[in-house]
Amino acid sequence: MKTDGPPGRAHAVDAAVGVHTLPDSFRALGSLPAIDYADRFTLATDASATPEQWARAMFGDVPGLAQQVIWRGLLGLRLSRGRSPDTVAGWRVTGRGEDWIRLEAASWFLSGNLVVRADGGKVSLGTFLRYDRGLGRRVWPPLSAVHRRLVPGLLRDAVATVEGRTRPGGDRTRAPGSRKGGTR
């Protein structure tokens, strides 16, 4: 595992990249019958939210412009349009448990899961991909380098969003200045 960022409860992000570096219990949350790429990034935090709230803090309700460029444009993912309780940023919610949620999307050349898990004072984001055609094997490796650089900031931003939405008494509200669709 590698730590990114300065030490401290709200800043250290642990990363594990590779199918066999992830615990079986985390890998089992994915729905793909075979996995060609997997990673998991974990951030320790005192912020508290459900897995779905974490997912929406990370990605928004609908895909933002940057997400559309990457997910629809470069990866060709077929994402749902508009807000729905069954989607997060266009990804279909295909599974959930007390401490996790799984999002799913596919293109003609790859299939993917995003798994968000919140437990034990930590929030984790896992990415699982299966290359359905040879193009997936060529497209994802260079994009994965960018992905691995962006995810720690995505987790930190989600913590700020969750902390900003929590008011005394437990009322939830949107953080000041936050965007409805997000940018990641």
Side-chain angles (χ1 to χ4, degrees):
M1 285 200 175
K2 176 184 131 191
T3 299
D4 176 274
R9 189 142 170 84
H11 298 289
V13 176
D14 292 327
V17 179
V19 175
H20 300 293
T21 65
L22 304 184
D24 291 339
S25 61
F26 193 83
R27 265 196 331 252
L29 299 176
S31 66
L32 303 174
I35 301 170
D36 294 306
Y37 174 90
D39 66 34
R40 181 184 68 173
F41 292 81
T42 302
L43 177 63
T45 178
D46 293 327
S48 179
T50 67
E52 182 173 341
Q53 289 168 332
W54 279 115
R56 291 186 188 283
M58 289 178 205
F59 304 114
D61 294 321
V62 296
L65 180 60
Q67 292 165 321
Q68 288 186 45
V69 168
I70 295 167
W71 292 340
R72 282 192 174 123
L74 299 174
L75 296 177
L77 295 176
R78 295 179 295 272
L79 302 175
S80 298
R81 298 195 186 274
R83 297 182 200 297
S84 167
D86 300 325
T87 65
V88 173
W91 291 66
R92 290 183 327 277
V93 176
T94 60
R96 65 176 79 222
E98 187 175 306
D99 66 350
W100 63 276
I101 188 169
R102 180 181 57 241
L103 312 176
E104 192 171 308
S107 72
W108 66 272
F109 62 90
L110 61 78
S111 300
N113 290 163
L114 297 175
V115 174
V116 176
R117 189 170 196 179
D119 67 336
K122 296 179 181 178
V123 62
S124 298
L125 171 62
T127 303
F128 302 96
L129 295 177
R130 180 187 69 218
Y131 306 138
D132 297 326
R133 305 271 188 295
L135 183 60
R137 201 170 304 285
R138 290 191 304 272
V139 168
W140 181 249
L143 290 177
S144 72
V146 175
H147 164 80
R148 289 188 301 272
R149 289 187 53 92
L150 292 176
V151 172
L154 178 71
L155 288 171
R156 290 185 193 106
D157 289 350
V159 168
T161 298
V162 166
E163 288 174 340
R165 289 192 314 183
T166 304
R167 289 189 174 170
D171 292 339
R172 311 291 287 173
T173 185
R174 182 165 300 281
S178 66
R179 292 175 293 277
K180 291 180 182 177
T183 58
R184 296 185 208 241

